[in-house]
């Protein structure tokens, strides 16, 4: 039904209306970039596994509207890193929205996806954006990345205690994590008490939002976490130790 709506009004118009409903104003330039990004996603998805969401209305809601919610909590001028960006969520969405008003680094362990992201950056002429290939827990120990960012963002990468260990080393003291999470967020917060303690972080806000796709309601959350002091030297640990002995 919603796809008929897209056929009638066009992808950009429907995206604009859905964004308006959640208080986000998208310019014509942003809408053009979002449409081009969707076209590239669908095209490249035929040759590599980028996303299971390929139908236009679902891309609008489950990728774009879902990720756009985060821009409400990002100030202009922020230096951001998206850990486990995959096909660019939320990092590319943030970059399209802010244009060159923020600086963003997209990090992923899977090089194939980064080739796709390079093409997106070129085609959309995105500025102030960088791609890094590697494992989050390894690069967080390198001086050039450690405690260099104002904000770290992640969606659908790991459970919270592991995610905190992957991500918190990247942010400056006083900086924040913005994690996009689903219904299990409160359980994950409870289970991550030890991780919060060891990694010197605390929950500062939990923002709830919802959307409906094909009559199904999705409860979504942006979990904001503050970093209160330096990440201890021996964290993050290596992948083997994180897996074998999670901070729970
Ligand atoms: N954030 C994207 C999204 O919401 O669509 C991608 C989610 S995908 C399920 C998880 C991504 O995290 C994958 O691209 C995977 O390669 C990456 N990832 C998982 N663990 C990682 C790690 N330790 N270091 C870097 N990337 C990692």
């Amino acid at each position: 039904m919603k796809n008929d709506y897209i056929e009638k009004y066009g992808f950009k118009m429907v995206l604009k209306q859905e964004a308006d409903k959640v208080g986000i104003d998208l310019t014509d330039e942003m809408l053009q970039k979002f449409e081009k990004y969707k076209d590239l996603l669908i095209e490249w998805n035929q040759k590599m596994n980028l996303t299971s969401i390929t139908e236009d209305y679902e891309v609008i809601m489950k990728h774009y509207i879902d990720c756009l919610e985060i821009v409400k909590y990002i100030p202009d001028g922020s230096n951001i890193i998206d850990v486990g960006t995959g096909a660019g969520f939320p990092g590319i969405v943030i970059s399209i929205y802010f244009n060159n008003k923020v600086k963003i680094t997209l990090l992923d362990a899977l090089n194939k996806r980064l080739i796709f992201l390079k093409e997106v950056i070129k085609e959309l002429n995105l500025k102030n954006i960088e791609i890094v290939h590697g494992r989050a827990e390894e690069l967080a120990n390198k001086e050039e990345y450690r405690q260099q960012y104002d904000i770290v963002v992640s969606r659908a990468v790991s459970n919270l205690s592991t995610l905190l260990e992957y991500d918190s080393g990247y942010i400056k003291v006083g900086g924040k994590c913005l994690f996009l999470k689903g219904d299990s967020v409160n359980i994950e917060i409870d289970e991550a008490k030890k991780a919060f303690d060891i990694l010197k972080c605390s929950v500062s806000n939990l923002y709830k939002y919802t959307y409906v796709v094909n009559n199904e309601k999705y409860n979504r959350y942006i979990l904001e976490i503050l970093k209160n002091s330096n990440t201890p030297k021996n964290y993050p640990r290596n992948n083997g130790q994180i897996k074998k002995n999670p901070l729970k």
Side-chain angles (χ1 to χ4, degrees), residues 146-246:
R146 194 162 180 93
Q147 305 205 144
Q148 297 299 315
Y149 299 89
D150 304 307
I151 301 176
V152 58
V153 298
S154 287
R155 183 181 83 158
V157 174
S158 174
N159 67 68
L160 184 58
S161 61
T162 297
L163 192 58
L164 260 188
E165 186 161 359
Y166 283 165
D167 283 19
S168 55
Y170 289 96
I171 8 167
K172 300 170 186 168
V173 174
K176 62 185 180 183
C177 309
L178 292 173
F179 295 149
L180 291 120
K181 285 279 175 192
D183 263 335
S184 63
V185 67
N186 282 306
I187 296 168
E188 291 189 51
I189 292 170
D190 276 351
E191 286 178 353
K193 284 215 164 72
K194 193 171 162 190
F196 279 110
D197 194 33
I198 290 176
L199 300 167
K200 317 287 181 206
C201 290
S202 54
V203 174
S204 43
N205 272 302
L206 183 61
Y207 305 104
K208 184 176 180 186
Y209 58 107
T210 57
Y211 54 80
V212 176
V213 184
N214 298 332
N215 296 321
E216 197 173 334
K217 185 177 170 194
Y218 293 84
N219 292 323
R220 300 284 295 157
Y221 298 85
I222 291 181
L223 174 59
E224 185 189 82
I225 292 168
L226 274 191
K227 172 155 156 181
N228 303 309
S229 49
N230 289 321
T231 304
K233 254 202 197 126
N234 36 345
Y235 290 92
R237 299 162 299 160
N238 66 41
N239 186 35
Q241 286 173 311
I242 295 176
K243 288 251 156 70
K244 204 170 139 204
N245 188 17

Side-chain angles (χ1 to χ4, degrees), residues 19-232:
D20 277 348
K21 281 189 212 162
V22 294
I24 293 169
D25 187 29
L26 298 180
T27 63
D28 287 346
E29 189 186 341
M30 291 175 200
L31 290 165
Q32 262 165 28
K33 288 184 177 177
F34 277 119
E35 186 170 44
K36 180 86 195 160
Y37 180 24
K38 181 262 301 177
D39 290 342
L40 289 166
L41 191 66
I42 306 295
E43 183 193 326
W44 281 61
N45 205 41
Q46 285 161 9
K47 42 187 178 182
M48 64 173 71
N49 179 20
L50 291 171
T51 180
S52 57
I53 297 165
T54 53
E55 185 239 289
D56 278 6
Y57 189 69
E58 281 198 277
V59 172
I60 288 178
M61 299 308 292
K62 292 184 178 174
H63 280 326
Y64 293 169
I65 297 297
D66 190 58
C67 290
L68 274 167
E69 198 70 25
I70 211 170
V71 305
K72 297 176 181 173
Y73 312 106
I74 296 177
D76 283 0
S78 301
N79 187 13
I80 306 160
I81 184 162
D82 178 5
V83 171
T85 189
F89 300 108
I92 294 280
V93 173
I94 293 170
S95 179
I96 293 174
Y97 182 81
F98 283 101
N99 199 0
N100 50 16
K101 291 205 270 315
V102 299
K103 196 165 170 264
I104 186 150
T105 300
L106 308 177
L107 183 153
D108 206 281
L110 214 62
N111 202 31
K112 266 192 339 187
R113 296 198 171 131
L114 300 180
I115 296 167
F116 165 71
L117 293 176
K118 257 184 216 152
E119 179 72 6
V120 172
I121 290 168
K122 192 181 95 194
E123 288 291 322
L124 272 56
N125 195 23
L126 299 175
K127 304 288 183 220
N128 276 351
I129 188 162
E130 186 189 342
I131 294 174
V132 178
H133 176 223
R135 290 202 61 91
E137 65 279 20
E138 289 171 11
L139 295 180
N141 282 302
K142 296 222 156 44
E143 213 180 317
E144 56 185 303
Y145 301 109
R146 194 162 180 93
Q147 305 205 144
Q148 297 299 315
Y149 299 89
D150 304 307
I151 301 176
V152 58
V153 298
S154 287
R155 183 181 83 158
V157 174
S158 174
N159 67 68
L160 184 58
S161 61
T162 297
L163 192 58
L164 260 188
E165 186 161 359
Y166 283 165
D167 283 19
S168 55
Y170 289 96
I171 8 167
K172 300 170 186 168
V173 174
K176 62 185 180 183
C177 309
L178 292 173
F179 295 149
L180 291 120
K181 285 279 175 192
D183 263 335
S184 63
V185 67
N186 282 306
I187 296 168
E188 291 189 51
I189 292 170
D190 276 351
E191 286 178 353
K193 284 215 164 72
K194 193 171 162 190
F196 279 110
D197 194 33
I198 290 176
L199 300 167
K200 317 287 181 206
C201 290
S202 54
V203 174
S204 43
N205 272 302
L206 183 61
Y207 305 104
K208 184 176 180 186
Y209 58 107
T210 57
Y211 54 80
V212 176
V213 184
N214 298 332
N215 296 321
E216 197 173 334
K217 185 177 170 194
Y218 293 84
N219 292 323
R220 300 284 295 157
Y221 298 85
I222 291 181
L223 174 59
E224 185 189 82
I225 292 168
L226 274 191
K227 172 155 156 181
N228 303 309
S229 49
N230 289 321
T231 304

